[in-house]
């Protein structure tokens, strides 16, 4: 089973947030319900990385203080991010009834602050690399992120615009 960034966001959004293990279990259950398919670990790793890169998913690691909200065990959670258009993959709509996972309600302030930190790092990398395409993408993401969480990205937008005008 291959999942898009929006489908990954849709699955985590069903629960408000999932650990990596919970996300794998949810996708495995959906794949099995879809005619006995399975989830390829390498494909899932690639999909998660792409979703994180595009800000369709955000992740919080309470031990490092980065990227959003933790579950009660202190494990990192994936949360649907600011660029996601969450869509539940076929055969995944019943997963919340199958998995024994309580719905989580992330606090938008720490979630936004951590995502802002990751965004700032992405801006710095794109500008340092002279990657105009990534700078344009991040400029668009900045508006999504501000609408999604209580953050102000005016300074980062100015840096991106300056980099693009050079």
């Amino acid at each position: 089973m291959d999942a898009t960034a929006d489908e990954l966001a849709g699955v985590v959004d069903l629960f408000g947030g999932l650990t990596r293990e919970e996300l794998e279990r949810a996708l495995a259950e959906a794949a099995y319900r879809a005619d006995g398919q399975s989830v390829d670990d390498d494909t899932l790793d690639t999909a998660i990385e792409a979703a994180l890169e595009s800000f369709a998913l955000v992740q919080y690691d309470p031990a490092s203080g980065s990227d959003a909200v933790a579950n009660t065990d202190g494990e990192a959670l994936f949360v649907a991010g600011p660029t996601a258009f969450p869509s539940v993959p076929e055969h995944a709509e019943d997963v919340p009834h199958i998995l024994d996972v309580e719905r989580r309600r992330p606090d938008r302030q720490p979630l936004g602050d951590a995502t802002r930190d990751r965004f700032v790092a992405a801006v710095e990398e794109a500008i340092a690399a002279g990657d105009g395409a990534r700078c344009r993408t991040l400029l668009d993401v900045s508006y999504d992120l501000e609408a999604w969480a209580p953050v102000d990205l005016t300074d980062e937008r100015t840096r991106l615009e300056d980099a693009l005008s050079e």
Side-chain angles (χ1 to χ4, degrees):
M1 172 184 194
D2 295 338
T4 67
D6 287 337
E7 289 172 332
L8 293 174
V11 171
V12 300
D13 201 42
L14 288 171
F15 299 90
L18 290 175
T19 65
R20 169 67 185 241
E21 180 182 318
E22 292 166 344
L23 177 57
E24 288 174 1
R25 282 186 13 234
L27 292 171
E29 187 63 41
Y32 178 77
R33 294 172 60 86
D35 301 324
Q37 297 178 16
S38 64
V39 176
D40 177 70
D41 289 338
D42 291 335
T43 302
L44 179 58
D45 288 344
T46 301
I48 288 172
E49 288 304 315
L52 290 169
E53 178 82 12
S54 70
F55 290 86
L57 281 183
V58 294
Q59 183 182 16
Y60 176 63
D61 181 355
S64 71
S66 65
D67 289 341
V69 69
N71 70 9
T72 56
D73 297 328
E75 293 180 67
L77 291 180
F78 291 112
V79 178
T83 65
F85 290 98
S87 62
V88 179
E90 193 173 347
H91 305 288
E93 55 278 338
D94 290 332
V95 170
H97 305 293
I98 297 167
L99 296 183
D100 185 25
V101 175
E102 297 273 331
R103 175 132 181 95
R104 297 171 175 122
R105 297 190 185 342
D107 182 343
R108 284 294 176 197
Q109 188 63 55
L111 180 62
D113 290 344
T115 304
R116 181 191 184 284
D117 292 345
R118 194 163 75 72
F119 178 81
V120 169
V123 167
E124 290 171 2
E125 289 172 15
I127 291 172
D131 188 343
R134 180 71 173 152
C135 286
R136 280 187 288 285
T137 298
L138 290 171
L139 191 57
D140 290 340
V141 169
S142 73
Y143 294 105
D144 294 333
L145 181 49
E146 283 183 336
W148 181 78
V151 297
D152 179 8
L153 300 173
T154 304
D155 292 342
E156 289 72 26
R157 235 185 330 276
T158 299
R159 289 182 61 211
L160 289 165
E161 290 167 347
D162 290 347
L164 289 168
S165 67
E166 291 177 357

